[in-house]
Structure formats: structure tokens, C-alpha cells
Amino acid sequence: RRAGGGCPRPVMAAVPPPSAPGGPEPPPLQYSLLLQHLVGEQRRPRAWDPAALGGIPSPPKSEEQKMVERAMESCAFKAALACVGGFVLGGAFGVFTAGIDTNVGFDPKDPYRTPTAKEVLKDMGQRGISYAKNFAIVGAMFSCTECVVESYRGKSDWKNSVISGCITGGAIGFRAGLKAGVIGCGGFAAFSAAIDYYLR
């Protein structure tokens, strides 16, 4: 402090003198080195650990779990699952269409006779079984073909659905001739593309 009172002079931080041309450069400041390790080129990626963030760590998978996952991802399992799903869906659709059909249970030899409830239920069951079988076959063929095409191409896109739809429709239609096979191929391919576009 100066004599007679007064405010103290502020103490200025020592600034390193600039280096002379051609001389050694001054050492970098410590916070610059810290920033290099935090956000700079020397930053190391940190492995994500759920346990460190308070989450539940996932234990390593056993051989049985890996075997089950491989079985569930196989084409045979997908085809079987599609077959069961198609059977259930086809049966429900067949029973529904038979329920709204006014000709169910009627005898063509005696069209004026009113059918009994047993005859109506019998016809509904037969139509449901017929639809269930058809849907199960189509679902299994389509799912298995799509799985094989996807495994062969190594890609999962809309082309797999179009190719598998064409193969499935063509295989079903070729039983009625070449023209029906071509129409079935084109129809199933277009339908598969529309469903894949809607789902994606």
C-alpha cells in the first residue's frame, strides 16, 4: 500500500514473454493439454458399461442360449411359425366368410329346404379347414423362400419380398398352366411389394 492510504494496486499475472524468432517455443499451458485428452485427438473412446451407469449388466450368453437363438433364426423355424400363423389366420377367415355366406348349409338338390344348425356349422368348419390349409401352405412357402433369398443375397430389403412373392405365386399358379403361373408370379410380387412398403 502507498503511504497515506488508498486502494492497493492490482497484481498482474505474469505473462510469459514471447519467444524470440528462431528460439525455443514456450511450453503449452496445462488446460490445453487437458482439452486435448477430453475433446481433442488424444481422447480415448470409453466403453459403455451398464453397471457403471446404474443399469443391469447383461451376463454372457451360454451355449444353450446361442443354440436356441440360432434355431429361432433358421429358415425352418420361420417357415414353421408362418405355417402355424397362416393356418390360424386362414381358419378364422374361412369361418368368417362362411358365416356371411347365405348359401352355407343349403342342399343344391333341395334349395327350398331350410338347413339345420348342424349342417351350417359343418359347412363352416369345412370351409375354415380348407382356407387354413391354403393359408398355411402359402405362408410356409413365402417365409421359407424369403429366408433363403435373404441368406443368399446377404441383404434385408424390399427385393427379398418381391422375389419370394414371385416364386411363391409362380409355384402355386403353375399347377394350372404357364399363363396362370406368370399371373400368379406378378400378382404375388406386387402384393408383397405393397405389404413390404406399408410395413416399412
Side-chain angles (χ1 to χ4, degrees):
R1 299 177 61 182
R2 293 184 301 177
C7 297
R9 292 183 178 179
V11 179
M12 302 296 292
V15 179
S19 60
E25 296 183 357
L29 300 178
Q30 294 297 327
Y31 71 87
S32 299
L33 298 176
L34 182 62
L35 289 177
Q36 287 293 329
H37 287 280
L38 292 177
V39 295
E41 298 178 353
Q42 299 181 5
R43 182 176 64 89
R44 298 179 180 179
R46 184 177 180 182
W48 183 77
D49 187 8
L53 300 177
I56 301 176
S58 57
K61 297 180 181 179
S62 61
E63 293 297 330
E64 290 78 10
Q65 291 177 338
K66 294 179 181 180
M67 187 181 301
V68 171
E69 289 183 356
R70 287 194 296 266
M72 294 180 66
E73 293 176 358
S74 62
C75 296
F77 180 81
K78 292 180 180 179
L81 188 63
C83 181
V84 174
F87 187 87
V88 175
L89 181 62
F93 185 74
V95 172
F96 174 75
T97 55
I100 61 177
D101 190 359
T102 57
N103 295 324
V104 173
F106 282 91
D107 188 4
K109 297 180 181 179
D110 190 5
Y112 296 101
R113 185 179 65 86
T114 302
T116 61
K118 184 178 181 180
E119 294 174 346
V120 173
L121 292 176
K122 181 180 179 181
D123 286 354
M124 291 177 64
Q126 291 177 352
R127 182 175 295 188
I129 293 296
S130 176
Y131 275 68
K133 291 180 180 180
N134 293 333
F135 274 62
I137 294 174
V138 172
M141 289 179 60
F142 180 83
S143 179
C144 184
T145 307
E146 185 180 20
C147 181
V148 172
V149 172
E150 182 177 350
S151 301
Y152 177 77
R153 296 183 65 239
K155 299 179 181 180
S156 178
D157 52 12
W158 60 273
K159 295 181 181 180
N160 297 333
S161 300
V162 173
I163 295 173
S164 56
C166 180
I167 294 175
T168 304
I172 295 175
F174 274 134
R175 295 182 299 178
L178 180 60
K179 184 178 180 180
V182 174
I183 295 175
C185 174
F188 265 79
F191 180 75
S192 301
I195 294 296
D196 188 83
Y197 176 79
Y198 178 76
L199 293 178
R200 291 179 185 270

